[in-house]
Amino acid sequence: MKKEEILNAYHFRHATKVFDDSRKITAEDFEFILETGRLSPSSIGFEPWKFLIVQKPELRQRLSEVSSGAQKQLATASHFVVILARTDASYNSPYAEYMLKEIKGMPDDVFELTSAAYGNFQNNQRLLENPKTLFDWASKQTYIALGNMMTSAALIGIDSCPIEGFSYQDVHRILEEEGLLEDGAWDISMMAAFGYRIEEPKREKSRQPLDKITQWIE
């Protein structure tokens, strides 16, 4: 793909507040968007994310009542995604063993060495001080996946909006009541809406100049 086409997709993408609820993303196109999330990189390859595609109207309504930043998107988006992050992604957890042995196919001896190395990494990064630091680390990885999903959507003419405007406690409660957090293995990281814009942005994309956000050390 040409560089200009990629940059055009970045200029096209904007935080869409209201979608055209008469237009739906095809199953093929949304699977493509999800696949770019699945293929995204994550720290030590733990992939500590899960994407809940919320299409059920009743659940969207419940979320809307406690999500001030998502009410218009929940009502109009073709697809609405609640992104979860793993709460137990420590180096010595059953989840880590699953990732290293079953997903990456490590034999026992390699697993032991790798697990110890990852333990040193997590300790050096002070990720194991308390559950919140570990969850925040996992949550940061979900933003990598979401960034890729929004870009891939823009490349095929689909709009999106990342959303953090919600009550954590209330969304957590709702998802827990729905049995979607798997007894605490997951928790809410952020939300995102996908669909087709109903109107064009009122102004051009504004960003700082490149020379204001870069510094070459030579």
Side-chain angles (χ1 to χ4, degrees):
M1 183 170 289
K2 297 178 181 178
K3 297 174 186 176
E4 183 179 357
E5 292 176 315
I6 296 172
L7 288 176
N8 285 342
Y10 277 90
H11 284 284
F12 167 85
R13 193 216 65 78
H14 77 289
T16 304
K17 305 303 182 185
V18 182
F19 296 88
D20 183 348
D21 59 7
S22 70
R23 298 184 65 190
K24 302 302 179 185
I25 301 170
T26 66
E28 179 183 1
D29 282 349
F30 201 71
E31 184 174 345
F32 161 74
I33 293 170
L34 290 173
E35 183 69 356
T36 62
R38 186 183 76 88
L39 294 173
S40 297
S42 60
S43 183
I44 60 178
F46 270 12
E47 305 171 35
W49 48 58
K50 186 174 185 178
F51 310 113
L52 303 178
I53 299 90
V54 181
Q55 304 300 81
K56 184 179 178 181
E58 295 82 1
L59 182 52
R60 283 200 186 192
Q61 178 57 39
R62 291 188 70 191
L63 292 173
S64 178
E65 292 168 1
V66 296
S67 304
S68 60
Q71 293 181 358
K72 293 179 180 178
Q73 294 92 332
L74 276 160
T76 61
S78 169
H79 290 64
F80 194 87
V81 183
V82 174
I83 303 177
L84 306 181
R86 198 80 193 182
T87 64
D88 59 348
S90 61
Y91 75 99
N92 57 353
S93 65
Y95 177 74
E97 184 172 359
Y98 157 76
M99 286 299 303
L100 295 178
K101 285 187 174 182
E102 295 190 36
I103 300 303
K104 300 184 183 299
M106 290 185 183
D108 289 342
D109 56 339
V110 176
F111 165 75
E112 295 296 336
L113 292 172
T114 303
S115 180
Y118 288 172
N120 288 334
F121 164 77
Q122 290 187 327
N123 276 299
N124 289 336
Q125 294 293 319
R126 303 174 67 180
L127 302 177
L128 305 177
E129 290 185 344
N130 58 66
K132 187 177 187 308
T133 57
L134 187 63
F135 174 75
D136 287 347
W137 169 74
S139 184
K140 286 193 294 185
Q141 313 311 310
T142 70
Y143 282 72
I144 301 174
L146 177 59
N148 289 336
M149 290 165 66
M150 291 192 299
T151 299
S152 66
L155 284 165
I156 58 174
I158 292 173
D159 291 291
S160 61
C161 185
I163 298 161
E164 292 183 317
F166 56 86
S167 166
Y168 164 79
Q169 290 184 333
D170 289 326
V171 173
H172 175 94
R173 172 181 52 79
I174 290 170
L175 297 179
E176 193 170 45
E177 290 172 357
E178 294 284 333
L180 297 170
L181 300 182
E182 297 182 20
D183 296 324
W186 300 96
D187 209 346
I188 176 70
S189 177
M190 67 179 311
M191 303 173 176
F194 294 87
Y196 296 95
R197 66 187 67 179
I198 199 166
E199 60 181 25
E200 294 300 318
K202 291 182 172 57
R203 62 177 184 173
E204 293 292 322
K205 188 182 294 291
S206 59
R207 293 291 188 274
Q208 296 181 70
L210 190 61
D211 62 1
K212 294 292 186 181
I213 62 166
T214 57
Q215 181 178 355
W216 291 73
I217 313 299
E218 298 179 313

